Amino acid sequence: MGNQMFDLTGKTALVTGCKRGIGMGMALGLAEAGADIIGVSASLEVEGSEVEKAVKALGKNFKAYQCDFSNRESLYAFINKVKAENDKIDILVNNAGTILRKPAAEHPDEYWDTVIEVNLNAQFVLSREIGKEMVARGSGKIIFTASLLTFQGGITVPGYAASKGAIGQLTMALSNEWAGKGVQVNAIAPGYIATDNTAALRADQERNSAILGRIPAGRWGSPEDFKGPIVFLSSSASDYMSGSIVTVDGGWMGR
């Protein structure tokens, strides 16, 4: 059996938020395992993006789309377009997300509404619309990007924490209905990863030292650390896993 369990040749994966960071790492991991990639993010270049070049260099197809996940009309327009232009989507990776920081007492409605729309509402709508076709076919894989704040509350990011807690529940809710219909729904919860999102934390010497001091692995994670987990959850190797939240955090949650 060996590596055939992890082979994604002939599969198509839709990866949201794939322009950089963890999403790009996931897209490349899936392409390395044989999948063709449909990429979407708010500002993804229609052609010539770094992720497109990297996927094509692996000999796999890449189709690029743009979508403002904070806008429901934009989301439905994207869903209709991607369904019309692609035969089927075997793997859905719900990775697009945003984070807005301000203390709770001053956290404005706009911050809350934007974060909940992008991180939760859009992900539910996309999962329902792509997921219903997976259920009809009797096969599919859906993977959400959760967070350490699926389990913890964070500081100055109440909307983000609420959205990521909800993603954990949504993963289980969809799993409860779809696992018996051949569709596995799981989530990956990244720990502290060296990406654009965490640049401010890494630049703050005190926060950086405190974070590193708590990570048993002793280092920040990298986008490459998500290649193995995403391929595993997208392949037949994980067919009996559903409703799981897999932490990829250098041991953070064990402390």
Side-chain angles (χ1 to χ4, degrees):
M1 198 170 269
N3 284 341
Q4 287 175 321
M5 288 172 69
F6 300 96
D7 185 13
L8 299 177
T9 304
K11 304 286 188 188
T12 298
L14 169 55
V15 184
T16 74
C18 70
K19 185 176 177 178
R20 56 185 181 264
I22 292 171
M24 183 171 172
M26 289 176 168
L28 295 185
L30 293 168
E32 285 168 8
D36 292 314
I37 306 297
I38 300 168
V40 58
S41 77
S43 59
L44 183 65
E45 297 91 336
V46 178
E47 53 185 61
S49 66
E50 290 304 308
V51 63
E52 176 178 355
K53 288 178 198 162
V55 168
K56 287 187 168 172
L58 294 165
K60 305 315 295 184
N61 293 327
F62 184 90
K63 285 190 191 173
Y65 294 85
Q66 282 188 356
C67 177
D68 175 2
F69 288 102
S70 69
N71 180 297
R72 197 68 63 94
E73 280 182 23
S74 170
L75 175 62
Y76 276 112
F78 162 66
I79 290 168
N80 291 335
K81 194 168 177 1
V82 81
K83 280 187 174 186
E85 294 178 1
N86 298 278
D87 288 340
K88 65 173 178 149
I89 293 163
D90 303 287
I91 300 154
L92 170 61
V93 181
N94 282 305
N95 173 71
T98 192
I99 188 164
L100 294 170
R101 302 175 191 276
K102 211 163 230 193
E106 295 106 50
H107 206 80
D109 286 9
E110 298 76 37
Y111 276 28
W112 177 273
D113 291 344
T114 298
V115 169
I116 295 293
E117 192 63 34
V118 172
N119 292 8
L120 179 61
N121 297 347
Q123 301 207 25
F124 169 68
V125 172
L126 186 57
S127 299
R128 182 190 67 209
E129 295 303 310
I130 302 295
K132 67 170 71 164
E133 299 194 343
M134 293 178 173
V135 168
R137 279 200 312 273
S139 72
K141 302 274 183 178
I142 298 176
I143 302 98
F144 289 95
T145 296
S147 168
L148 294 181
L149 299 198
T150 300
F151 313 102
Q152 300 173 324
I155 301 161
T156 74
V157 289
Y160 185 84
S163 72
K164 292 299 186 176
I167 286 296
Q169 298 303 114
L170 182 58
T171 298
M172 293 185 278
L174 296 180
S175 169
N176 288 345
E177 294 192 43
W178 294 349
K181 297 176 177 174
V183 180
Q184 292 83 47
V185 186
N186 294 288
I188 292 174
Y192 285 91
I193 314 301
T195 65
D196 293 351
N197 261 4
T198 58
L201 292 177
R202 283 177 289 125
D204 179 335
Q205 212 166 350
E206 207 175 303
R207 285 297 301 277
N208 188 43
S209 299
I211 288 165
L212 278 175
R214 184 182 155 154
I215 301 172
R219 68 171 175 89
W220 285 73
S222 76
E224 287 71 33
D225 290 316
F226 293 86
K227 289 181 174 181
I230 196 66
V231 169
F232 171 59
L233 290 177
S234 299
S235 70
S236 61
S238 60
D239 279 353
Y240 197 58
M241 278 184 73
S242 203
S244 290
I245 304 169
V246 179
T247 50
V248 180
D249 63 354
W252 176 281
M253 284 305 297
R255 285 292 286 268

